[in-house]
Amino acid sequence: MQSHYRADPARYTGMTYRRSGRSGLDLPAISLGLWQNFGGTDVFETGRAVLRRAFDRGVTHFDLANNYGPPPGSAEENFGRVLATDFKAHRDELIVSTKAGYDMWPGPYGSWGSRKYLTASLDQSLKRMGLDYVDIFYSHRVDPRTPLEETMGALDHAVRQGKALYVGISSYSPEMTRRAAAILKDLGTPCLIHQPSYSMLNRWIEGGLLDALEETGIGCIAFSPLAQGMLTTKYLNGQPTDARAAKGGTLKAHFLSPENLERVRALDAIAQRRGQTLAQMAIAWVLRDPRVTSALVGARNVEQLDNSLDALKNTAFTPEELAEIDRHAVDGGLNLWQNSSNAEAG
C-alpha cells in the first residue's frame, strides 16, 4: 500500500488549460487516458502512481470507457478505487469521462447506440467508479442501425437525469458531427467535445472534421497522438518483443512497415534538433492547432507520463519545421476507427 497521498500544492502552475470549443469548460492541454495499463491484468499500484503524478502535474481530465481494461470494466473499477482514496477530497477538481458504444455485455443490448444500452452502461460505469455523475459521457462510435436522434436523445437524457454534466461523440465524420450537434442543440444539451484519433501518421481530421468542430463550437480531444506508441523511440530499430505490436493487440504489426518506420526515423531526427523526444514533438504537433483542446495520452509508468507532459516545454514550431514535418507526416494506414467515421447513423 502506498503512503497517504497529499496533492502537490503547486499542481496548477505547470499546466496549460484550453477552452473546449465555445463551452465554459477548460481542459488540460494533455489529458490522461485509461484505455491501456489500468485494467485488472495490470499492476494496480503502478497505475495508481501514474494517476497521482498526473494530478500533481495539473492533469485534471481522466478519460475512461465502459470497456477499458482488460477485462472490460476493470479500468473504471481501478479508477474508482483511487477516487475513493487518493482523490476523494478532489472530486470537484476533476473532469472524469466515460463512453458507451463498443461491445460490453452479451445479447442485443450490450453494444452500439440504443437508448437502452447507453443508459444501462452509464449506470454500470457510475457504480464501478463509485460516482454520482460523470463530467462527460460519450457516444463511443456511430451506430449505422440506430436513428441518430435516439443515440443523441440518450446523451441528453443522461444530462437531464444528473448523471452527466456534458456530452460528447467519438469517431464521427464531419457530416455526422454536424447532424449530432444540431440534434443536441435542439434538445438543449450542446455537444461539448469530439474525440477522434489524430497523429502525425493519421491526419484524417484535417479533411473537414476540424472545420466542422469550429463551425459548431465543439472542442476536440485527440486520442492516440503517439500512434499507439509508433511515434516514440520504441520502434526506431524495428519491433522489440515486449512491445504492444508483438502482443497482437490494437497496434497491428503491419503498421510497422518499412515506409512507416522510415517516416518515424525522419520525424525523430526533427525532434532531436528541437531538443525534444519524438513523443514530445508528436504531442506538441497535435496541439499546434488551437481547435484541438487537448491531447489524450496513455502511460505505462510515471517515467512515460513525465516524458509526455514535458512536451509542453516546447510547443512552438517554425514554418520551416512544420513544412519539414509535413513531408514525413503522411497517412500510415493506422486509423482503426475508420469504420465509425465512415458510417452514417439511421
Side-chain angles (χ1 to χ4, degrees):
M1 193 72 177
Q2 293 188 5
S3 60
H4 178 67
Y5 171 68
R6 280 190 184 80
D8 186 339
R11 59 188 173 277
Y12 292 114
T13 55
M15 177 56 71
T16 308
Y17 298 89
R18 294 156 71 121
R19 187 58 54 108
S20 182
R22 291 195 289 273
S23 75
L25 191 69
D26 285 333
L27 292 177
I30 299 176
S31 300
L32 183 65
L34 284 76
W35 176 24
Q36 315 266 354
N37 310 308
F38 294 89
T41 59
D42 298 295
V43 179
F44 174 73
E45 291 299 344
T46 306
R48 184 183 189 186
V50 170
L51 292 169
R52 288 176 161 191
R53 180 69 173 157
F55 188 56
D56 278 343
R57 292 197 58 180
V59 175
T60 51
H61 180 27
F62 298 92
D63 179 78
L64 297 101
N66 57 358
N67 61 337
Y68 290 174
S74 57
E76 288 182 329
E77 285 170 2
N78 283 335
F79 187 65
R81 287 172 67 187
V82 176
L83 275 173
T85 51
D86 302 332
F87 290 171
K88 191 172 186 178
H90 302 287
R91 173 64 183 103
D92 295 338
E93 295 177 66
L94 304 178
I95 300 295
V96 179
S97 64
T98 195
K99 316 178 192 76
Y102 287 93
D103 295 354
M104 189 59 198
W105 63 86
Y109 318 120
S111 190
W112 292 106
S114 71
R115 176 181 287 249
K116 167 72 172 172
Y117 170 52
L118 264 65
T119 303
S121 178
L122 179 55
D123 283 343
Q124 291 182 18
S125 291
L126 292 173
K127 197 175 286 182
R128 280 192 290 268
M129 291 190 280
L131 290 174
D132 297 323
Y133 70 94
V134 291
D135 297 278
I136 308 169
F137 183 45
Y138 285 91
S139 164
H140 208 165
R141 63 170 167 175
V142 172
D143 181 352
R145 293 172 56 236
T146 297
L148 190 60
E149 289 78 5
E150 177 171 341
T151 306
M152 296 305 105
L155 295 181
D156 171 64
H157 180 63
V159 172
R160 293 185 188 280
Q161 284 185 309
K163 292 177 179 177
L165 299 186
Y166 301 92
V167 299
I169 55 178
S170 180
S171 302
Y172 278 51
S173 70
E175 178 53 32
M176 291 300 297
T177 296
R178 285 190 181 92
R179 280 182 58 194
I183 293 166
L184 286 167
K185 188 178 179 183
D186 285 348
L187 290 168
T189 300
C191 184
L192 171 81
I193 198 160
H194 187 300
Q195 185 173 136
S197 59
Y198 183 42
S199 73
M200 292 193 289
L201 299 178
N202 174 20
R203 299 178 65 169
W204 75 277
I205 72 171
E206 294 171 19
L209 181 63
L210 284 171
D211 293 336
L213 298 179
E214 189 170 25
E215 274 169 42
T216 50
I218 297 173
C220 177
I221 179 166
F223 76 86
S224 282
L226 304 182
Q228 293 184 260
M230 278 189 62
L231 291 169
T232 67
T233 52
K234 183 185 279 185
Y235 298 106
L236 289 178
N237 302 309
Q239 182 180 313
T241 52
D242 68 335
R244 206 190 291 189
K247 295 176 182 170
T250 47
L251 178 56
K252 311 299 180 191
H254 71 259
F255 292 172
L256 302 173
S257 63
E259 296 81 11
N260 276 352
L261 290 177
E262 198 175 310
R263 292 174 191 133
V264 169
R265 289 186 193 110
L267 292 166
D268 182 59
I270 301 169
Q272 285 186 33
R273 290 204 301 274
R274 284 171 51 84
Q276 282 182 307
T277 64
L278 176 56
Q280 288 164 352
M281 183 178 84
I283 293 165
W285 181 87
V286 160
L287 293 168
R288 80 198 184 288
D289 191 315
R291 296 173 295 184
V292 176
T293 315
S294 186
L296 185 60
V297 303
R300 211 168 23 172
N301 51 45
V302 169
E303 183 187 15
Q304 238 180 33
L305 173 75
D306 278 337
N307 179 55
S308 290
L309 294 178
D310 286 345
L312 297 177
K313 291 178 179 175
N314 183 9
T315 55
F317 291 88
T318 66
E320 293 74 24
E321 283 174 330
L322 289 173
E324 189 181 358
I325 288 168
D326 276 342
R327 287 203 292 276
H328 307 290
V330 294
D331 198 279
L334 306 185
N335 189 359
L336 291 167
W337 305 273
Q338 205 164 346
N339 284 345
S340 175
S341 48
N342 286 346
E344 288 194 21

